[in-house]
Amino acid sequence: MLNELQKNEVVALCQNLVQSPSTSGHEDGVVERLKAFFEANGFDSVHVDKYGNVIGCIKGSRPGPKILFDGHIDTVPVGDPATWEHDPFAAEIVDGKIYGRGTSDMKGAVAAMACAAANFAKATNRDFAGEIYVAGVVHEECFEGVAAREISAYVKPDYVVIGEASQLNLKIGQRGRAEIVVETFGKPCHSANPEKGINAVYKMAKVIEAIRTLEPTHHPVLGDGILELTDIKSAPYPGASVVPEYCRATYDRRLLVGETKESVLAPINALLEKLMAEDDQLKVKASYAVGRQMCHTGNEIEGERFFPGWLYDEKDAFVQDVYAELKAMGYEPGITQYNFCTNGSHYAGEAGIKTFGLGPSRENLAHTINEYIEIDQLVKVCDCYTGVMKALLK
């Protein structure tokens, strides 16, 4: 376990990171604080890429595998601070908990990763085989895995540890996520004479009902490939005395292992073609949403909203190596899957890099009012991360 100095260090770093607000695109303050920590603790290099991800590296004395600890440093907004019992950026400690936006999602894990790397380097006098990378990742709340592509291209890791909340359990998979946009195109006219136009919303209503008849895909471990309507917009809006000529519906699609952009859209497109063959006034298409955001570096980040699912076998050697080490340290981790999307969509789903999740706290604390992390969880996960390094860097 950590000694008192090490416990105090990880708590202090967590507080320091939380005290710097960092919604997506405004992570620069946290980047500077992580850079300062890396430099003060003897990391061999610190790199900030075009998106503003910050990556610290410690090299062992012998060649070996590269392990990347991935933790995003952007947070969702606070909302109305007056609804919080504790200042969301004060990182106040009350009853063994640190309160504040990003404590559980996921600056606590980032602090633990950085401290664990420094602790491991000191404890071993860098006599280990391989390289340790700790990445503070931007824009994860908007694009799971997009900024991570730049990190994996730079690091080329052999293993990735995702620090999203898991209550110290090992997570070896997740469903992915896609945003599918369905658009109908009508003909505008005065609403006093609707027969002269084609109402795109009426056409969309028929399309929505038809889409609900599609059977979801299924995976024995990850469950159903959910397709759920999340919003509808029409144009012109407001439509004062005008029949809408355009309607857009957005669907959230939860992705299973092996599903591709083509395979996910195929049944939807087949259904839309059938509907158009039956109705010569219907014009409809489906595509993936594309997101664009400005980074704190001034560069733009862009990504099609398709983030693959992934799953490893709990019998895989790297999973069992970590599991055995944590057990030997006195922990009792379960081996399950995340119920939400993470940067693992890129590392495991796109790049095929051996990936697992291990984080502190409960996932249902993310994005909540009065978000907090228990100091006990923070300290224990820092200890667990040193166990991961011992298990894999040999």
Side-chain angles (χ1 to χ4, degrees):
M1 284 293 292
L2 276 61
N3 60 40
E4 285 303 310
L5 176 60
Q6 291 169 333
K7 291 177 183 178
N8 292 336
E9 285 175 342
V10 71
V11 168
L13 181 57
C14 176
Q15 289 180 294
N16 190 25
L17 300 184
V18 171
Q19 287 162 356
S20 181
S22 58
T23 52
S24 303
H26 303 279
E27 305 94 341
D28 46 305
V30 176
V31 169
E32 290 304 315
R33 294 177 186 215
L34 279 174
K35 281 178 60 181
F37 179 88
F38 293 152
E39 290 165 356
N41 284 272
F43 280 61
D44 292 300
S45 65
V46 182
H47 174 71
V48 178
D49 64 28
K50 66 179 183 180
Y51 293 142
N53 300 306
V54 58
I55 308 163
C57 172
I58 296 176
K59 295 185 177 182
S61 60
R62 291 171 280 122
K66 297 178 180 179
I67 182 169
L68 169 65
F69 289 87
D70 173 287
H72 69 83
I73 56 176
D74 63 323
T75 72
V76 296
V78 162
D80 182 2
T83 62
W84 288 61
E85 293 180 19
H86 306 278
D87 184 330
F89 301 114
E92 184 180 358
I93 296 176
V94 180
D95 296 330
K97 302 170 183 175
I98 306 172
Y99 284 87
R101 174 57 81 225
T103 45
S104 280
D105 188 26
M106 54 177 294
K107 292 178 179 179
V110 173
M113 291 169 169
C115 289
N119 293 342
F120 185 75
K122 292 173 185 175
T124 61
N125 197 28
R126 303 192 184 224
D127 184 19
F128 63 89
E131 300 174 17
I132 303 164
Y133 292 83
V134 178
V137 189
V138 300
H139 277 287
E140 189 274 347
E141 296 289 0
C142 306
F143 307 104
E144 299 98 330
V146 176
R149 292 171 186 159
E150 195 72 13
I151 296 171
S152 66
Y154 173 76
V155 175
K156 298 179 176 59
D158 298 286
Y159 304 102
V160 175
V161 182
I162 303 291
E164 296 278 12
S166 76
Q167 287 189 282
L168 309 183
N169 293 307
L170 294 173
K171 302 291 185 176
I172 57 172
Q174 61 164 78
R175 284 185 298 194
R177 182 176 74 88
E179 285 184 26
I180 297 174
V181 174
V182 177
E183 299 168 284
T184 53
F185 305 88
K187 179 182 177 182
C189 69
H190 199 290
S191 56
N193 304 292
E195 73 281 358
K196 296 184 183 298
I198 300 173
N199 192 313
V201 176
Y202 289 157
K203 297 300 183 184
M204 181 63 79
K206 294 179 180 179
V207 169
I208 289 169
E209 284 304 309
I211 287 176
R212 291 187 71 184
T213 68
L214 291 173
E215 286 291 323
T217 53
H218 183 78
H219 187 277
V221 176
L222 298 179
D224 286 343
I226 293 168
L227 179 64
E228 185 67 15
L229 178 67
T230 55
D231 67 50
I232 304 175
K233 299 178 181 178
S234 62
Y237 184 86
S241 300
V242 180
V243 168
E245 63 179 317
Y246 173 79
C247 188
R248 168 188 170 120
T250 305
Y251 284 84
D252 184 295
R253 175 65 154 83
R254 295 293 151 163
L255 304 170
L256 306 179
V257 174
E259 291 192 307
T260 66
K261 292 179 182 179
E262 295 75 21
S263 71
V264 168
L265 281 186
I268 298 173
N269 283 331
L271 177 63
L272 300 184
E273 290 292 336
K274 177 177 178 290
L275 294 175
M276 286 189 286
E278 296 169 351
D279 180 356
D280 61 7
Q281 288 191 329
L282 176 62
K283 295 181 180 179
V284 59
K285 72 172 185 177
S287 61
Y288 293 106
V290 175
R292 296 177 182 86
Q293 298 279 340
M294 289 301 297
C295 300
H296 70 83
T297 58
N299 293 318
E300 185 177 72
I301 185 169
E302 176 181 320
E304 196 171 46
R305 296 191 186 279
F306 186 96
F307 313 113
W310 54 280
L311 182 66
Y312 285 97
D313 192 313
E314 66 177 84
K315 296 184 177 63
D316 284 344
F318 77 101
V319 176
Q320 285 301 310
D321 286 347
V322 171
Y323 177 75
E325 183 62 35
L326 295 180
K327 288 276 288 184
M329 295 169 67
Y331 297 99
E332 295 290 337
I335 303 178
T336 57
Q337 302 81 38
Y338 281 123
N339 194 38
F340 53 89
C341 201
T342 74
N343 277 340
S345 285
H346 164 64
Y347 297 117
E350 292 180 347
I353 301 166
K354 294 174 181 177
T355 300
F356 63 91
L358 174 61
S361 198
R362 303 195 311 270
E363 62 185 61
N364 63 358
L365 290 172
H367 303 185
T368 59
I369 295 171
N370 297 319
E371 180 183 353
Y372 66 84
I373 188 170
E374 295 175 348
I375 290 175
D376 181 65
Q377 283 276 302
L378 181 63
V379 168
K380 285 179 177 177
V381 83
C382 188
D383 190 40
C384 287
Y385 290 149
T386 61
V388 170
M389 296 176 216
K390 185 178 179 182
L392 298 179
L393 298 180
K394 56 185 181 182

